Amino acid sequence: MIYESPLAYLLGLEGLALLRSFTGDFDREFVDARIAEIHKLLDDESLAGAAVEVARVGTVEGYRIWSETYDGPNSAFDFDEPIVREIVAGLPTGVALDAACGTGRLGALLAEHGHRVVGVDSSPDMLARARERVPTGEFRLGDLHRLPVADDAVDVIVCSLALTHLPELRPVMAEFARVLRRGGHVIISDIHPEWVARGAIPPVRRPDGQPGRLESHRHSTGAYLRAALAVGFQVRRCEEPVRPAVEQPQESPGARMTELGPWEVRPWCLFDLVPEAASAANDGVPSVIVWHFQLDGS
């Protein structure tokens, strides 16, 4: 179980903001304001009793629940899709594997560019939606560790927002290398490890109404790189797009929002409780990481 305490999260934001001030990003007035705000948070009884026990949910169960709303507003799509589209546009057409294809978001992009699309996902519910979205594609139930694809069978692999759900990267990178032809390309996007650390973990409500988070793991930038290089990939490109800074509204002294908001939109709604600290803690932090690897052609 995960113990989610809004108070702990808010104090964490304050701590990150204070660390940035310690290296010179902010002045004494900012530091004094953060410390005063921490005292107010600690005295807030509504925060003290708002912690929630949250279950860790596997991807099959989690995406079965999430499949109905997965294509709804998802800010991660806004960051990875333009980069993936640009990379795909520069590649020759061929057989393309959409690994962990979900509802076929990137499979549709590959089809638009003339690729013959094969999609693999462990969620039957996601696959059903992908088949509707990309009727020309071939979609198979399978696991990233044992792709139902022959050796040296595809020219391009895309894998979006999936590898954070896995505890280890190298086995999957090895599987990508197995099914990819020499000189083939892999495009991977994922939630940036800094945002995973800040709670960017998908929430789901289980059938009994209890809250759950999809099993997620924080992989450093170096972890992706080491896993890829070990099985013969070369780096072609790496992008870490940053969420634009949001100007904080001017408030009267001492004013702040006091509503915690529903669990489903935490931790993001908590930012409004400590807007200055949240802005300082999150400024310049990349939202996603996008990799373009090419398999050694020798």
Side-chain angles (χ1 to χ4, degrees):
M1 297 293 285
I2 305 169
Y3 182 73
E4 292 189 3
S5 166
L7 175 59
Y9 192 89
L10 293 167
L11 293 175
L13 289 175
E14 298 283 1
L16 287 171
L18 286 169
L19 285 176
R20 298 189 75 161
S21 70
F22 192 82
T23 56
D25 287 359
F26 303 101
D27 59 16
R28 179 174 180 172
E29 181 181 357
F30 178 88
V31 172
D32 290 343
R34 301 283 64 74
I35 293 173
E37 192 165 55
I38 288 170
H39 284 293
K40 289 182 180 179
L41 291 171
L42 291 170
D43 291 337
D44 190 329
E45 294 182 359
S46 67
L47 292 175
V52 180
E53 294 277 357
V54 180
R56 299 182 191 274
V57 180
T59 54
V60 174
E61 178 188 358
Y63 278 102
R64 177 183 57 76
I65 299 168
W66 199 12
S67 64
E68 295 183 5
T69 59
Y70 185 78
D71 289 326
N74 188 328
S75 61
F77 298 170
D78 298 332
F79 291 98
D80 76 340
E81 199 163 310
I83 299 170
V84 173
R85 182 177 293 276
E86 182 180 308
I87 296 171
V88 169
L91 302 179
T93 57
V95 180
L97 171 64
D98 188 357
C101 63
T103 60
R105 175 175 67 101
L106 294 185
L109 185 157
L110 292 165
E112 288 174 14
H113 284 81
H115 293 276
R116 182 164 71 84
V117 176
V118 177
V120 174
D121 202 280
S122 62
S123 168
D125 300 88
M126 287 291 202
L127 285 172
R129 297 179 186 278
R131 291 185 181 105
E132 293 177 358
R133 190 171 194 166
V134 190
T136 59
E138 179 185 347
F139 293 92
R140 306 170 184 173
L141 185 67
D143 185 90
L144 287 174
H145 293 94
R146 295 175 297 278
L147 292 166
V149 178
D151 295 356
D152 306 317
V154 303
D155 303 288
V156 178
I157 299 172
V158 297
C159 184
S160 174
L161 308 178
L163 298 189
T164 53
H165 299 312
L166 305 178
E168 300 291 339
L169 296 176
R170 184 166 175 176
V172 175
M173 290 292 191
E175 188 68 350
F176 288 168
R178 178 185 69 79
V179 304
L180 197 63
R181 297 186 179 114
R182 300 295 100 182
H185 300 263
V186 174
I187 306 160
I188 295 168
S189 72
D190 243 326
I191 300 299
H192 197 279
E194 287 300 316
W195 273 110
V196 176
R198 284 163 169 76
I201 301 174
V204 293
R205 283 283 181 184
R206 306 182 77 183
D208 61 1
Q210 294 302 306
R213 299 266 183 198
L214 265 71
E215 180 181 354
S216 297
H217 303 270
R218 183 174 179 241
H219 301 301
S220 68
T221 301
Y224 290 95
L225 187 59
R226 288 187 293 274
L229 294 178
V231 296
F233 285 112
Q234 299 174 345
V235 180
R236 293 287 301 273
R237 184 173 176 181
C238 179
E239 298 290 346
E240 298 174 284
V242 174
R243 188 183 305 270
V246 177
E247 184 175 347
Q248 296 297 328
Q250 296 296 315
E251 300 180 5
S252 58
R256 69 176 180 90
M257 294 184 65
T258 58
E259 294 294 327
L260 283 174
W263 170 79
E264 283 82 357
V265 292
R266 298 179 192 171
W268 319 124
C269 64
L270 301 179
F271 293 171
D272 291 333
L273 299 179
V274 290
E276 288 185 352
S279 178
N282 298 326
D283 182 45
V285 176
S287 294
V288 299
I289 187 165
V290 182
W291 292 97
H292 176 192
F293 296 110
Q294 186 173 17
L295 190 61
D296 189 342
S298 58

